[in-house]
Amino acid sequence: MARAFLLGSLTSLLRRLPPASVKLVAFNLDQQQEIFRDSDFDRTGLYRLSEALNKLELGTISYKQLEDGFGWADLLSGLVREEAESALPPDAVVLLGPTNRINARIPDEFLASSRRKQLPFFYFEYYPMHGREFPDAIERVTDVRNGKTYRLYSPGDLAQSIAQMEKTLERGDRAVRMTQ
C-alpha cells in the first residue's frame, strides 16, 4: 500500500511540476543503502524504480548496519552534501517517503559543509495513519536546511502540498532533484 502511494505521489509530482530534469535517488535509512539512482529520471524510470522497491526486503537489516550507529547519518548527509556541493546545483531538493523510525538529529559535523549553499528543501512525509507524528531524521535535516515538511495522510493532502510547493517555487525551467 505505501509503495503504491509513494509511486503515485511521485507520478503526481512529475505531472504537476514538470522540471527540466530530475535526478532521483531512492534510499533506505534503516538498511543504510542507496536502492536506486537515475540522474535523468523520467516516467519510463518508474518501472525500474518500482522493480527496485519490490526487491527491497524491509524486514532485513544486517548486523553490520546495526553496529554502525551513524551509518544512516552518513548516507543522509552524503546525499544532502552531494546536492549542496554540486557543480550544477538543483533549484530544489524534494524528498518523498514514509516517515521513518530514526528520530535522532544528525550530528553537526555531518552537515557542516552542506550548509554553505541554501537550496530549497521540501519533504513530503507519508504517514499511514494519524497519531504518530514525531519528527524523523529526514524532517530534522529538512528543518536544518530551512526547508518545508508536508505531512501526507491521503491523496488530498498530497495535492494541497504540491500546490503549496508550487507557490514557493518560481515556475519555468528548473532542475529539480527528487529523492525518496
Side-chain angles (χ1 to χ4, degrees):
M1 172 76 169
R3 289 178 190 174
F5 183 81
L6 292 171
L7 288 171
S9 298
L10 176 60
T11 302
S12 294
L13 277 165
L14 290 172
R15 193 175 300 129
R16 289 272 303 269
L17 299 170
S21 67
V22 173
K23 173 183 175 182
L24 189 131
V25 179
F27 60 92
N28 183 294
L29 288 184
D30 287 331
Q31 296 178 348
Q32 303 170 14
Q33 69 175 344
E34 193 174 292
I35 299 160
F36 178 85
R37 179 181 285 261
D38 188 338
S39 295
D40 194 20
F41 188 80
D42 58 17
R43 289 191 178 129
T44 62
L46 280 172
Y47 179 75
R48 292 187 317 278
L49 173 61
S50 179
E51 282 184 329
L53 291 175
N54 285 332
K55 291 177 185 175
L56 186 63
E57 294 183 33
L58 294 174
T60 305
I61 300 173
S62 79
Y63 74 91
K64 288 183 181 184
Q65 292 158 336
L66 292 173
E67 286 180 337
D68 187 356
F70 284 106
W72 62 270
D74 282 330
L75 175 64
L76 188 54
S77 62
L79 292 170
V80 169
R81 194 170 32 256
E82 178 182 332
E83 298 310 322
E85 297 175 359
S86 173
L88 295 170
D91 292 329
V93 175
V94 179
L95 299 130
L96 166 68
T99 190
N100 62 71
R101 67 170 187 81
I102 301 169
N103 62 4
R105 295 185 191 279
I106 290 185
D108 286 339
E109 61 268 17
F110 284 89
L111 291 174
S113 66
S114 72
R115 290 186 182 154
R116 281 185 240 143
K117 291 183 183 172
Q118 242 350 351
L119 300 173
F121 266 67
F122 302 94
Y123 178 27
F124 290 81
E125 183 177 19
Y126 170 66
Y127 285 90
M129 64 184 75
H130 287 278
R132 299 183 181 193
E133 296 87 356
F134 297 101
D136 66 10
I138 298 172
E139 184 174 346
R140 292 179 189 276
V141 168
T142 302
D143 287 345
V144 166
R145 301 289 311 189
N146 296 315
K148 172 72 176 154
T149 297
Y150 302 105
R151 292 186 170 159
L152 310 177
Y153 303 95
S154 69
D157 295 333
L158 174 66
Q160 289 176 345
S161 299
I162 292 173
Q164 289 175 11
M165 186 175 81
E166 283 177 313
K167 289 178 184 175
T168 303
L169 293 173
E170 290 182 4
R171 298 296 290 173
D173 291 341
R174 60 183 172 274
V176 177
R177 305 292 167 95
M178 301 182 79
T179 308
Q180 177 179 11

